Amino acid sequence: MRWSPGDYLRFAGARARPALDLLARLPDTGPPVIWDLGCGTGEITLELARRRPGATVSGLDTSPEMLAAARESDRDGRVRWVEGDIAAWRPGEPPGLVFSNAALHWLDGHDALFPSLAGSLAPGGALAVQMPRNSDEPTHTVLEEVASRPRWQGRVAHLTGRRPVAEPAAYYDLLAPSCTTVDVWETVYLQRLEGVDPVARWVEGAAARPYLACLGDDGPAFLAEYAAAVRPHYPPRADGTTLLPFRRLFLIATR
Ligand SMILES: C[S@@+](CC[C@H](N)C(=O)[O-])C[C@H]1O[C@@H](n2cnc3c(N)ncnc32)[C@H](O)[C@@H]1O
């Protein structure tokens, strides 16, 4: 699947805010070895490095495009950028902090993944995660509805029906047996978007990526259908702004 740093960063402020909210709650952790899993274009990884001077910080991502953008913004070579899959990730040295913002919802099998990530931590270390949880909101259900239309279903219907992120309490149950503290919470951000069809532009940068990857040159036609179908769900306010409620699940577990 191909990521587009430009499409993703079109709403950089709104996408960064939950990461900063998660960073604000990080505890003092164990050894100064930090991994950012699914680091993307690396802004948050670099912010982590700024906040933890002296720590060895690594950013892992499967996307060469996102990693190229990350390397570009890391002028001082502060972070070690690693191409690799979170599902196969094994740290050499047990980390004091495993951080992941807006990435783990791309992986299935959370029942095994979360205990495994917590199990990788050094004693006293922390796992800090934020994931969007909007599969049943119009942003996502309309994407699935358009993908199921006769014109598209042969190529993308197999992508529908994923529900990777569980109820918040499920993460408590997964982590409590091996962690000393587990803090789970949710925030619904009322995101203020501007421009024409901003919800479609927002979805184009992330949730629609697998669909666009399958559709190649037909991606713009699919997105145009999606934009028309999702528009009535998010009517502009009197001042032209579009409000997009967006739910995000946070957790911090310490070992
Ligand atoms: C929505 S972006 C978030 C990027 C960054 N964490 C941020 O907050 O700006 C999701 C990132 O997760 C990466 N990703 C998705 N699945 C992955 C996997 N299995 N292993 C590693 N990276 C993955 C994508 O390539 C993408 O860069």
Side-chain angles (χ1 to χ4, degrees):
M1 181 173 91
R2 223 160 155 250
W3 281 81
S4 160
D7 289 341
Y8 184 70
L9 292 174
R10 189 179 286 136
F11 299 100
R15 294 206 196 274
R17 182 166 160 193
L20 297 175
D21 289 349
L22 183 60
L23 284 178
R25 297 204 58 85
L26 287 185
D28 280 342
T29 47
V33 174
I34 297 177
W35 280 86
D36 182 6
L37 304 183
C39 61
T41 47
E43 285 77 20
I44 305 302
T45 329
L46 288 167
E47 183 57 28
L48 260 172
R50 272 191 287 276
R51 292 179 186 213
R52 300 284 167 105
T56 304
V57 181
S58 305
L60 180 88
D61 206 286
T62 40
S63 163
E65 293 86 7
M66 298 297 249
L67 285 172
R71 286 197 184 94
E72 177 92 18
S73 41
D74 184 13
R75 298 229 154 72
D76 308 327
R78 174 69 182 82
V79 172
R80 201 166 62 98
W81 304 103
V82 181
E83 190 173 326
D85 192 327
I86 296 165
W89 171 76
R90 302 286 176 276
E93 189 181 341
L97 174 63
V98 174
F99 183 92
S100 184
N101 183 65
L104 297 184
H105 60 297
W106 291 106
L107 286 88
D108 292 313
H110 285 193
D111 288 2
L113 178 67
F114 276 73
S116 159
L117 293 177
S120 75
L121 294 168
L127 171 67
V129 175
Q130 181 276 119
M131 299 177 285
R133 199 170 75 85
N134 298 289
S135 296
D136 296 317
E137 297 298 325
T139 43
H140 291 59
T141 56
V142 171
L143 195 57
E144 297 190 331
E145 184 272 306
V146 174
S148 305
R149 292 178 183 175
R151 181 175 178 194
W152 307 114
Q153 64 177 4
R155 293 157 76 189
V156 289
H158 66 284
L159 297 171
T160 64
R162 270 192 84 234
R163 294 290 181 274
V165 183
E167 293 291 318
Y171 294 92
Y172 182 89
D173 292 340
L174 285 172
L175 294 167
S178 61
C179 294
T180 53
T181 65
V182 183
D183 185 13
V184 186
W185 74 99
E186 283 196 326
T187 301
V188 180
Y189 295 87
L190 199 58
Q191 297 181 160
R192 239 183 113 247
L193 306 182
E194 277 163 4
V196 178
D197 286 330
V199 173
R201 299 283 83 77
W202 170 274
V203 170
E204 176 184 6
R209 298 319 296 177
Y211 297 83
L212 300 178
C214 285
L215 292 171
D217 290 345
D218 289 328
F222 176 83
L223 272 180
E225 272 190 39
Y226 171 71
V230 85
R231 204 177 289 140
H233 294 274
Y234 302 95
R237 321 309 298 178
D239 64 358
T241 299
T242 299
L243 297 178
L244 170 62
F246 210 75
R247 179 183 302 277
R248 296 180 181 270
L249 184 153
F250 295 79
L251 68 88
I252 295 180
T254 55
R255 243 194 124 194

